[in-house]
Amino acid sequence: MTAGEPVEDAQGRLPAEVGRSLADIARSNGLRQVGGRPRLGAYVSALVERRHFVWVLSRSQAYAQNQDSYLGQAWNILNPLINGAVYLAVFGLVLRTDRGVDNFIAYLLVGIFIFQFMQRTLTMGSKAVTSKLGLVNSLQFPRALLPISVVLTELIVLLPTVAVLLVLMPITGEPITLWWLALPGAVGLMYLFGTGAAFILARLVVEVRDLANLVPFVMRAMLYFSGVFFSISSYTSGFLGAVLEYQPFAVYIQLVRTCVMVEADPSWQLWTAGAVWAVLTLLVGFVYFWRAEAKYGRG
């Protein structure tokens, strides 16, 4: 040892390092925690920078659906049509749940098409992180990309079915009106809500894996409480009726009906409820998901 050379202690630390934690030393040398949580602003910026990746991933996932079958992408349209035919036979012809609805076929088709989108969005969104653990554990990227890509995938799948729905509406007797121009707004609000809900469910499933098994049961319950094949206002009233009419599934189904069906009331209360559900769920869901960023695997 030469004169003036710093002397290490028994643990091999230099005097300047004594009293400093390993975390402090790491930060001072430009190191950061693997899989840690960045600041919210930096997190949002990272998402924006990777928007092209989200788009490519979502398109590839949408194209991959049903590719192992002969009819391929046609099943995205055939599934709601077949479901609509079955529900029409059961609820329209046998149980006669068409009370208060003039055009029950159009009413049912809208309910089935939109509910299927929301059901798949929340079911697949809940597993957005846990179904991609290989990607999560091998690459460093904002984990919020995964729920976003899942919902965008379902939106891409939905758009052709909406086009088919618009073709079917005049066949069922619905006229083409200016309210059709509001349809992208209704779908957009539904998409924002679905993204926020996917954030919330994805984090919950990461923390409690068993919740993924409960989501399908919740979706089944929502099928019967969202006015898919019956008019909520014709069968319920009072506080219970208000709760059922303004829960998000019923709100977005009814919003789409107000755009393509003349008998549906396009009330400002319904549009306000749709906007509030969308914005509130998206903001709360995003922050809730971001706060657990360090739990989603190593980058």
Side-chain angles (χ1 to χ4, degrees):
M1 180 182 300
T2 60
E5 186 175 308
V7 180
E8 298 178 347
D9 66 1
Q11 285 73 41
R13 295 178 299 177
L14 296 176
E17 294 175 336
V18 176
R20 298 175 64 194
S21 68
L22 290 177
D24 292 334
I25 296 173
R27 281 192 293 267
S28 66
N29 286 275
L31 302 180
R32 63 185 181 86
Q33 179 185 359
V34 174
R37 185 185 73 193
R39 295 181 181 274
L40 184 58
Y43 194 68
V44 174
S45 297
L47 287 174
V48 174
E49 290 174 359
R50 291 164 174 81
R51 62 189 182 277
H52 298 298
F53 168 73
V54 174
W55 173 246
V56 173
L57 178 61
S58 301
R59 286 181 57 190
S60 63
Q61 291 177 152
Y63 180 77
Q65 292 187 14
N66 301 311
Q67 283 305 297
D68 57 346
S69 61
Y70 287 111
L71 297 180
Q73 301 303 316
W75 280 111
N76 292 326
I77 297 173
L78 290 175
N79 277 329
L81 287 176
I82 295 173
N83 283 331
V86 172
Y87 287 131
L88 178 62
V90 174
F91 295 97
L93 302 179
V94 178
L95 299 180
R96 304 296 299 177
T97 61
D98 56 350
R99 183 198 309 172
V101 180
D102 294 332
N103 189 347
F104 187 70
I105 295 178
Y107 191 90
L108 182 63
L109 286 175
V110 173
I112 293 297
F113 275 63
I114 300 306
F115 181 83
Q116 181 170 289
F117 166 77
M118 300 187 71
Q119 179 185 39
R120 286 188 55 84
T121 293
L122 272 62
T123 302
M124 302 303 293
S126 67
K127 298 180 289 186
V129 177
T130 55
S131 64
K132 297 285 194 305
L133 288 180
L135 186 64
V136 168
N137 291 327
S138 61
L139 297 175
Q140 179 66 40
F141 62 93
R143 308 314 189 200
L145 290 176
L146 297 176
I148 291 174
S149 69
V150 166
V151 183
L152 183 56
T153 296
E154 296 305 322
L155 179 64
I156 293 173
V157 173
L158 173 69
L159 294 181
T161 65
V162 170
V164 172
L165 184 65
L166 293 179
V167 172
L168 293 175
M169 287 298 101
I171 296 176
T172 65
E174 292 294 333
I176 299 176
T177 68
L178 290 178
W179 272 105
W180 282 32
L181 299 177
L183 183 58
V187 173
L189 291 177
M190 183 172 58
Y191 167 75
L192 294 179
F193 169 80
T195 303
F199 283 138
I200 296 173
L201 290 174
R203 174 177 170 177
L204 289 175
V205 170
V206 166
E207 296 183 345
V208 184
R209 299 298 175 89
D210 291 337
L211 291 178
N213 296 321
L214 296 178
V215 172
F217 294 101
V218 175
M219 293 301 103
R220 176 67 63 179
M222 297 308 298
L223 174 65
Y224 297 107
F225 288 109
S226 300
V228 174
F229 34 70
F230 68 94
S231 171
I232 294 177
S233 60
S234 297
Y235 285 86
T236 61
S237 60
F239 177 75
L240 176 61
V243 170
L244 293 180
E245 283 190 282
Y246 286 96
Q247 54 95 350
F249 279 74
V251 166
Y252 294 117
I253 291 173
Q254 194 61 22
L255 274 184
V256 175
R257 286 178 177 142
T258 64
C259 296
V260 299
M261 296 180 64
V262 294
E263 66 179 280
D265 179 23
S267 66
W268 66 268
Q269 293 96 332
L270 194 65
W271 283 91
T272 301
V276 171
W277 273 118
V279 174
L280 187 63
T281 305
L282 180 64
L283 294 179
V284 172
F286 180 73
V287 173
Y288 179 69
F289 185 90
W290 161 75
R291 289 180 63 85
E293 180 74 8
K295 298 181 179 180
Y296 304 138
R298 297 176 302 170

